[in-house]
Amino acid sequence: MKKFFLLCMGLTVGLTVLAEPYFVRVNGKTDYAATATGEKDYQGRDQYAAYNVSLKANDKLTCYNQGGNAEWNIAVIDPYGAYENFTAGTTALVCGKAGTYNIYIKLQYENDMWYIEESNPGEGETPVTPTPDPAYTTSAPEKCPDVVFQAFYWDSYKDQGYGRTKWVDYNNGNNGTSAEEIGQWFDLVWLPPMTKSTGGTGYLPICYSSLEGDWGTKKNLVKLIETLHKNGARVVADIVINHAVAQSGWCNFATQNFGSYGVFKPTSAWICRTDEMKDVTGISCTPTGADDDGYGSEANYDSGRDWDHNNAEVRKMCKAYLRWLRDEIKIDGFRYDYCKGFHNSHIDDYNRAAEAYFSVMEMWDGNVGVLQSHLNDAGWNTLTFDFATKYTAFHDGIASGNYDKLKGAGLLGAGKGRYAVTFLDSHDSFLRKDDNGYSNEFMGYGNSMNYPDKIMQCYAYMLSMPGVPLVFFPHWVTFKEKIKPMLNARYKTGVHSESSVEDYISNGSYVATITGTNGQIRIIVGPSGYDTTPAGFTLAVKGTGYGVYYKVNSARGDKNTERVDRTLGIENVQNDPVPQHQGTKFMQDGKLYIRVGEAVYDVRGIRIQ
């Protein structure tokens, strides 16, 4: 029990920690109490048992102390009873045969073991009633207070002028920022495609189960994720499942090995029969899947083979991939690439399978009605990038000096802020040409950074309004000292994705008051009025053409000092002496929670209130 001992040593005095019962956790989410049997085994071990636990094949069991929620590893199984139906390892006990079992935890310092016996729920001990974690509901959180950080730009695995963004660069803090700083200032960190791929940035995946690529090693990736979690941020992985490329030729696909989550060997039968591969002569494979179920002329993606998401094996592979990322790599949410290429109902299906905290899809369309149609296809179980706000409020509005365009723009104007990730530029638009002549980058190809006041006007708007705003890496490392006060104003006032807005145009400027859970933000963006502090408000930051002001109902610290580790075990939050980890722990109905401000989180970091 060495690991258990070390974890529990630091629990804060005053917190009630029960020595028992212990519990068995199944698949990381369902707990079965293991109570003392009252007698030691023949080698003197203390014994705790969870009776009549119903298991499926491949279920994974781990051992915890219920009061402290401390996990430790048991790598040995007693070679008696039903031991042949299970495999013990350093991370979990894996069930090899479905059935109902009594699970014994035999504890002796540095010499723990499992003992398993088959049981009959109708005989002997009373069946255990599990205490599940809160049930999954949605990947589009209600009243979401989060801000997203896009942690890369195109081909920034090599420095393209604003710093290199490999995993090791964040870990070492040598790219103008660091994992610690990002975690303290942002709630969601969007990482680039982390699978083995061709094409540098990662949008032509070869092997989903290999995390060794241009961005760095799996070891450095895991370290980065751990650091982001510790400093208060969740991690969003870029998911490219519309298409893939073969490891050689046209359809010699890599084996996708997700361990206990499944092993898959794709064939040409997994590829849409409408893929352009059908027209290539001299190859030995022909796609035989269903027609591509994507949208219109852009359904087929010419640079890769299009997966047939109507194929049950393709769907199993995608679900295994996402669940593996969630459970093994500790990814919290997903950004889905090229969502015109497959029917968006699959996003709902995959999010539910992986129980993603957050999801956003790339639906590149500036029409509000089209965006809402695709959200509807996805069961409103995801957000989408709000291209409508980008083009209307920023391109047609701020860039052109027409500040009346900010009123009622995009999904925000349609009252759908809960489902909108607002952004100014991304890896796809920033400094990159498009087929129509540079029209996608704010201010025009190559010119964005020549207009810093315009950029800040856009951020003043985004970081004050409803929706879930995104800060882009080049903008952060260039303008962070102006962006930080905007983040603080949003944080202090509790502005969230569904906050209410009262706005109007005055002397050519856009004026808005946004109400959060702890106060209000007033923004003035345009040619006049922005440098005068409104009565009752405090200045957050101002510059040419913008002013951000706020007032609060109750005092709250800055965003980077009032952070909470919302993804690791709660016991580490209170043990950690770093000042940003502030919160109050409490026990309720035998379970441990932490309260931070008005929010309450469970031990998985899921907000329940």
Side-chain angles (χ1 to χ4, degrees):
M1 289 179 60
K2 188 172 184 179
K3 184 177 179 182
F4 161 70
F5 177 75
L6 291 174
L7 281 171
C8 288
M9 282 271 299
L11 286 169
T12 301
V13 175
L15 176 65
T16 301
V17 179
L18 304 177
E20 61 177 62
Y22 298 95
F23 63 83
V24 174
R25 178 167 290 175
V26 179
N27 296 328
K29 62 181 181 180
T30 305
D31 298 336
Y32 293 83
T35 55
T37 64
E39 60 181 3
K40 296 180 181 294
D41 75 353
Y42 70 99
Q43 289 186 333
R45 295 181 181 84
D46 294 322
Q47 299 186 93
Y48 300 84
Y51 299 107
N52 297 314
V53 178
S54 180
L55 298 174
K56 302 185 298 295
N58 297 317
D59 279 351
K60 296 182 177 181
L61 288 70
T62 49
C63 181
Y64 285 77
N65 164 267
Q66 185 160 305
N69 194 35
E71 178 185 10
W72 70 99
N73 301 330
I74 301 177
V76 178
I77 186 170
D78 199 334
Y80 296 96
Y83 74 98
E84 292 182 334
N85 294 349
F86 292 82
T87 301
T90 57
T91 59
L93 176 73
V94 181
C95 178
K97 179 181 178 182
T100 303
Y101 299 92
N102 295 333
I103 313 294
Y104 287 82
I105 307 167
K106 296 190 171 192
L107 304 179
Q108 190 177 64
Y109 182 69
E110 293 188 334
N111 193 20
D112 309 324
M113 67 167 53
W114 299 97
Y115 171 70
I116 315 294
E117 64 182 13
E118 295 189 64
S119 65
N120 185 337
E123 300 176 358
E125 298 86 354
T126 303
V128 174
T129 301
T131 303
D133 286 314
Y136 170 82
T137 55
T138 181
S139 298
E142 293 183 275
K143 299 181 178 178
C144 183
D146 297 344
V147 178
V148 183
F149 177 71
Q150 183 176 0
F152 65 103
Y153 55 109
W154 191 258
D155 281 358
S156 58
Y157 66 95
K158 52 187 178 182
D159 191 345
Q160 301 291 293
Y162 294 93
R164 200 180 68 169
T165 64
K166 297 183 73 163
W167 317 137
V168 70
D169 297 312
Y170 280 108
N171 291 335
N172 294 340
N174 60 4
N175 63 352
T177 187
S178 67
E180 288 84 358
E181 182 181 50
I182 295 306
Q184 291 165 14
W185 282 99
F186 294 95
D187 308 283
L188 297 166
V189 180
W190 166 18
L191 298 182
M194 50 192 63
T195 57
K196 182 179 180 181
S197 64
T198 186
T201 298
Y203 290 99
L204 293 173
I206 296 172
C207 183
Y208 295 119
S209 56
S210 172
L211 300 182
E212 307 286 336
D214 288 325
W215 298 103
T217 65
K218 178 181 177 180
K219 181 178 179 180
N220 276 325
L221 170 63
V222 170
K223 180 181 177 181
L224 171 58
I225 293 170
E226 289 176 348
T227 304
L228 291 171
H229 281 168
K230 183 176 181 180
N231 285 277
R234 290 186 173 95
V235 178
V236 177
D238 205 315
I239 302 299
V240 186
I241 53 173
N242 171 71
H243 55 269
V245 296
Q247 58 185 346
S248 64
W250 282 83
C251 54
N252 177 26
F253 295 103
T255 298
Q256 313 292 329
N257 186 348
F258 305 110
S260 62
Y261 296 86
V263 179
F264 304 88
K265 180 61 175 175
T267 70
S268 58
W270 295 27
I271 304 303
C272 295
R273 61 189 176 196
T274 49
D275 188 88
E276 70 279 1
M277 184 172 70
K278 71 183 188 306
D279 299 321
V280 178
T281 58
I283 62 173
S284 59
C285 55
T286 301
T288 57
D291 289 349
D292 198 317
D293 65 359
Y295 298 87
S297 61
E298 295 181 82
N300 186 60
Y301 186 79
D302 289 347
S303 297
R305 311 287 71 72
D306 288 19
W307 296 120
D308 172 15
H309 288 270
N310 289 302
N311 183 317
E313 291 303 307
V314 171
R315 295 196 302 274
K316 287 179 184 178
M317 177 183 69
C318 292
K319 291 176 183 179
Y321 171 40
L322 300 187
R323 191 76 237 185
W324 175 74
L325 286 176
R326 286 279 282 133
D327 292 348
E328 301 298 320
I329 314 302
K330 308 306 180 185
I331 294 299
D332 305 288
F334 308 118
R335 178 264 185 190
Y336 289 96
D337 178 65
Y338 201 75
C339 291
K340 289 184 177 181
F342 58 100
H343 199 272
N344 297 158
S345 59
H346 300 300
I347 292 176
D348 181 33
D349 186 26
Y350 299 150
N351 280 343
R352 292 186 181 280
E355 297 183 306
Y357 164 75
F358 178 88
S359 161
V360 57
M361 62 179 180
E362 182 202 28
M363 179 48 58
W364 198 319
D365 199 297
N367 185 293
V368 174
V370 171
L371 294 177
Q372 292 189 78
S373 175
H374 286 274
L375 285 166
N376 189 65
D377 284 351
W380 297 92
N381 192 24
T382 184
L383 291 82
T384 189
F385 289 106
D386 192 355
F387 284 91
T389 289
K390 172 177 171 61
Y391 292 135
T392 301
F394 302 150
H395 288 227
D396 298 341
I398 289 176
S400 303
N402 298 324
Y403 294 94
D404 58 334
K405 294 286 188 179
L406 275 64
K407 184 175 174 62
L411 286 170
L412 306 187
K416 300 298 183 182
R418 175 179 174 180
Y419 305 99
V421 172
T422 52
F423 71 106
L424 178 57
D425 264 324
S426 72
H427 63 291
D428 272 325
S429 60
F430 184 69
L431 297 179
R432 293 188 70 204
K433 301 177 182 180
D434 74 344
D435 294 337
N436 301 315
Y438 318 136
S439 64
N440 289 318
E441 186 186 41
F442 176 70
M443 298 296 299
Y445 178 69
N447 293 314
S448 287
M449 302 300 277
N450 296 329
Y451 296 87
D453 293 332
K454 293 288 188 179
I455 292 174
M456 288 300 98
Q457 289 172 29
C458 293
Y459 275 102
Y461 177 87
M462 270 196 302
L463 293 175
S464 302
M465 294 290 281
V468 176
L470 179 146
V471 176
F472 183 41
F473 178 90
H475 297 154
W476 173 252
V477 295
T478 307
F479 305 112
K480 71 169 69 173
E481 297 311 316
K482 295 181 179 180
I483 292 174
K484 285 179 179 179
M486 300 178 189
L487 293 171
N488 274 332
R490 186 180 188 92
Y491 182 71
K492 290 173 184 287
T493 57
V495 167
H496 53 77
S497 60
E498 299 177 77
S499 285
S500 62
V501 178
E502 296 182 8
D503 57 358
Y504 57 91
I505 303 298
S506 176
N507 297 320
S509 290
Y510 175 77
V511 182
T513 302
I514 305 93
T515 300
T517 58
N518 190 46
Q520 292 181 321
I521 293 179
R522 174 77 57 82
I523 55 169
I524 304 166
V525 183
S528 64
Y530 58 84
D531 58 353
T532 301
T533 302
F537 285 80
T538 298
L539 172 68
V541 64
K542 65 181 179 180
T544 302
Y546 69 94
V548 180
Y549 307 88
Y550 69 96
K551 61 180 177 181
V552 296
N553 301 330
S554 58
R556 193 177 191 188
D558 288 345
K559 183 165 183 128
N560 66 321
T561 60
E562 286 198 352
R563 302 290 282 153
V564 57
D565 182 340
R566 298 174 302 175
T567 50
L568 302 177
I570 257 182
E571 72 280 358
N572 294 329
V573 178
Q574 194 159 341
N575 294 341
D576 195 331
V578 180
Q580 69 263 21
H581 296 288
Q582 297 181 1
T584 303
K585 288 185 175 184
F586 64 95
M587 297 288 293
Q588 182 173 310
D589 298 328
K591 294 180 77 70
L592 189 61
Y593 300 92
I594 186 167
R595 183 184 301 279
V596 182
E598 297 181 350
V600 174
Y601 300 92
D602 69 8
V603 295
R604 294 189 305 164
I606 301 298
R607 184 170 178 169
I608 63 172
Q609 178 180 316

